[in-house]
């Protein structure tokens, strides 16, 4: 098992390393994972209309039973689930998009 695989907790999975840029998005880009700003070059790069991260993005795996229990308010979720947010320019205005979908590798 590689070091990266060891970092993925039980109940979560490696979703991928890429997110697509929104249509018309222009630099400068400010990328966040769970609200923490990431550094271009060290944490990600922009290529071919995508943000490509240097590591896997981890998402929570929610089965039917767990989803139903959360819906009924029996308990919440405490598993690792990373959210990608992006601030960018479009048409001269600054925009922010939250929870961009991760593209599988």
């Amino acid at each position: 098992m590689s070091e990266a695989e060891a970092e993925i907790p039980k109940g979560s999975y490696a979703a991928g390393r890429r997110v697509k840029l929104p249509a018309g998005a222009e630099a400068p880009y400010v990328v966040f994972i769970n609200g923490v700003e990431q550094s271009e070059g060290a944490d990600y790069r922009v290529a071919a209309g995508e943000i490509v991260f240097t590591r896997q993005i981890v998402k929570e795996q929610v089965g039917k039973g767990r989803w139903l229990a959360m819906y009924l308010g029996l308990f919440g979720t405490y598993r690792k689930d990373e959210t990608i947010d992006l601030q960018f320019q479009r048409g001269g205005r600054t925009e922010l998009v939250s929870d961009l979908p991760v593209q599988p590798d």
Side-chain angles (χ1 to χ4, degrees), residues 16-37:
R17 297 179 189 266
R18 303 175 291 116
V19 295
K20 290 186 178 186
L21 290 170
E26 302 169 349
Y29 304 110
V30 184
V31 179
F32 302 90
I33 296 178
N34 290 347
V36 178
E37 187 172 344

